[in-house]
Amino acid sequence: MKTSDFDFDLPEERIALRPVEPRDSARLLVVGGGALDDRIVRDLPDLLQPGDALVFNDTRVIPARLSGARTRPGPDGEALSVAVEATLHHRDAADVWSAFMKPGKRLKPGDRVDFADLTAVIEAKGEDGLITLRFDRSGPALDDAIREIGVMPLPPYIAAKRAEDDRDRSDYQTVYAAHDGSVAAPTAGLHFTPGLLDALRTRGISTHAVTLHVGAGTFLPVKADDTADHKMHSEWGTVSEETAASLNAVRASGGRIVCVGTTSLRLLESAATPDGVIHPFHDDTAIFITPGYRFRAVDVLMTNFHLPKSTLFMLVSAFTGLETMKTAYAHAIQTGYRFYSYGDGSLLFRG
């Protein structure tokens, strides 16, 4: 399909710069069966059925944006420095991260980059814009240094309008986050509160966790004119044997699998075979879902509102139908829904 098929006009004032309080008071647009229903997130237990299973991505966002200086010897032997910024993307080894860096065009292998008292050497520069950084620390020591000097990697559409602050350290994190590794939040999960989780369980809806460490590639625009020419960046995920067995049992008993966020959906679809059986999974995934994809495991999706021409809008269009999603987004824009990471949510039933 053409990337332009997934374009739409979004007024600037629809982009949310802060989440609503409390989290579960956000609006929720229910899309399915040819109808649209305006609700709030707190209504979720009534919108699902006893026996359904909610699947959360329990990754924890790390402060993955680092500011520093690139250093290389000058012609007279003196060190030349240029300010740079790195957004970590994927951990490749105990002391190695791939990252998107700016300005990146003049960086080359062998350059040293100093981030406060943390130093890295550029080992490689990929055609996809990723730069490989080998740090002077490893494992937990590197993790501690990143936590000390990094800032939360707010999405570009928020960072362009305001600076990151202390409030984002909690706002840009789900209440059930458990495993460090993401450089972007699984934002549908930002709407959940302990009270809402209790209400869901009281309703007879089970909750399950998988882990997908979201990479910075989620913010990259699709530059190809045809979706077939777009290359997804890989992200690491895991589905435990216990979780796979529990979800298979839910489906066997007639319950539905409800993914909270596109990240948990992409992971379950990567872990499932064509017959819909979910298997344990511990690997990278670069699954790219566009209209025409046959879903294997997921029945319902809760997700926020996404960027025009993004891989995520393509995914929801595959899930519920392109024309249905264009109609839903036009309704959301007209009626004042808040978009993107800190915005409102939608509950999508598979078309």
Side-chain angles (χ1 to χ4, degrees), residues 214-294:
V214 190
T218 190
F219 298 133
L220 294 180
V222 177
K223 295 181 179 179
D225 292 331
D226 194 299
T227 59
D229 297 326
H230 177 69
K231 179 186 176 183
M232 291 283 284
H233 290 91
S234 65
E235 298 165 317
W236 185 87
T238 181
V239 179
S240 71
E241 184 173 350
E242 178 184 5
T243 296
S246 296
L247 294 177
N248 288 329
V250 166
R251 298 201 86 194
S253 63
R256 297 173 300 182
I257 293 182
V258 183
C259 276
V260 177
T262 57
T263 58
S264 57
L265 180 146
R266 291 177 61 244
L267 182 54
L268 287 192
E269 290 295 315
S270 300
T273 46
D275 59 1
V277 176
I278 299 169
H279 295 268
F281 185 93
H282 310 280
D283 204 349
D284 280 340
T285 178
I287 188 172
F288 181 26
I289 296 175
T290 58
Y293 176 84
R294 181 178 292 275

Side-chain angles (χ1 to χ4, degrees), residues 53-74:
L54 273 176
V55 183
F56 298 97
N57 180 7
D58 66 0
T59 186
R60 183 185 295 276
V61 183
I62 62 173
R65 185 162 293 141
L66 310 176
S67 296
R70 179 224 71 193
T71 303
R72 69 167 65 130

Side-chain angles (χ1 to χ4, degrees), residues 327-345:
T327 299
Y329 272 49
H331 171 83
I333 292 168
Q334 182 179 6
T335 56
Y337 278 77
R338 303 163 74 251
F339 272 62
Y340 304 161
S341 294
Y342 279 153
D344 296 313

